[in-house]
Amino acid sequence: MYSGSLGFFIAVAIALGLAGVVAMMGSLFVVNMRAGASARTMAQQARDDARQKLLASSVQDLRPLLGVAPDLAGIRFDIQLPPAAVHVFAIKAELCELLSKVAAHAASVMRAGATLQVSARVERGHAVVHWRDLDADDVRPPLARFFDALDAASQASARVCERIASRHGGRIYSEPHADGALGLTLRLPLHESIAGA
């Protein structure tokens, strides 16, 4: 009698254990199915974003975008552009937004009457734009501290500029000029038609 009851309890315990294993496998299956669906959704979103960016993009010569000094009170502009076109494949409105945000930041942190130099060049398959405060006394002037700014507005502008540059396969960062003065640099891949030239 006792051994029969023990056998029954063992059978019940085994059945419960197996049911638990089956339930766990089922829940893992559901989790995996959801993760797979989520991954597929994210991949489709990435494809849609890439397609949208491609449709909105066109070949842009950076020179006309840089060649007109923004109407900002308080600072002067020294714009230095190469004679040949500097082509990038980009969304013009986004590039203009990035350039506008950098100029606005410069106007907000540079001394009244100071000169912002904006130069562009082609370097190793990239279009390179560099901004620097020609009248800065500090080795690390406020213009170059765009990405370390303490105020919320500058932080938000810096993040937008980083996002736009990244979206176009490039980056924006603090970097010294050839003469050692620290400024901001935007680096974007050249359009394929001239990148190999």
Side-chain angles (χ1 to χ4, degrees):
M1 175 85 175
Y2 179 74
S3 63
S5 296
L6 183 61
F8 172 75
F9 285 124
I10 290 172
V12 169
I14 290 171
L16 288 173
L18 287 173
V21 168
V22 169
M24 185 176 70
M25 290 176 65
S27 66
L28 287 173
F29 177 74
V30 170
V31 167
N32 284 339
M33 290 290 288
R34 287 181 180 161
S38 176
R40 284 191 295 277
T41 300
M42 288 173 64
Q44 183 60 47
Q45 181 66 44
R47 285 193 294 273
D48 291 345
D49 287 348
R51 191 177 306 115
Q52 182 181 7
K53 178 182 176 292
L54 184 65
L55 291 173
S57 297
S58 59
V59 178
Q60 304 291 331
D61 180 1
L62 280 177
R63 295 174 310 161
L65 303 181
L66 295 167
V68 179
D71 185 18
L72 293 169
I75 62 172
R76 296 186 304 241
F77 287 83
D78 172 26
I79 299 173
Q80 300 183 355
L81 303 174
V86 182
H87 287 124
V88 294
F89 190 66
I91 299 171
K92 183 178 181 180
E94 291 189 2
L95 276 187
C96 289
E97 181 182 7
L98 185 155
L99 299 174
S100 172
K101 286 188 180 301
V102 171
H105 171 71
S108 72
V109 298
M110 289 170 57
R111 288 195 318 263
T115 301
L116 176 66
Q117 184 182 75
V118 184
S119 60
R121 67 184 186 277
V122 171
E123 181 181 278
R124 296 190 301 275
H126 286 86
V128 180
V129 179
H130 188 75
W131 295 266
R132 67 176 176 144
D133 180 352
L134 291 181
D135 301 295
D137 298 327
D138 193 345
V139 292
R140 196 163 181 270
L143 171 65
R145 297 198 299 267
F146 191 26
F147 305 107
D148 306 324
L150 298 178
D151 64 289
S154 291
Q155 286 179 1
S157 287
R159 299 294 85 82
V160 168
C161 289
E162 287 178 323
R163 193 163 50 250
I164 291 172
S166 176
R167 181 169 156 86
H168 290 83
R171 60 191 185 110
I172 182 169
Y173 54 97
S174 296
E175 181 183 57
H177 190 264
D179 68 1
L182 193 63
L184 294 175
T185 293
L186 170 66
R187 187 175 289 269
L188 296 170
L190 284 175
H191 184 252
E192 293 173 2
S193 65
I194 62 165

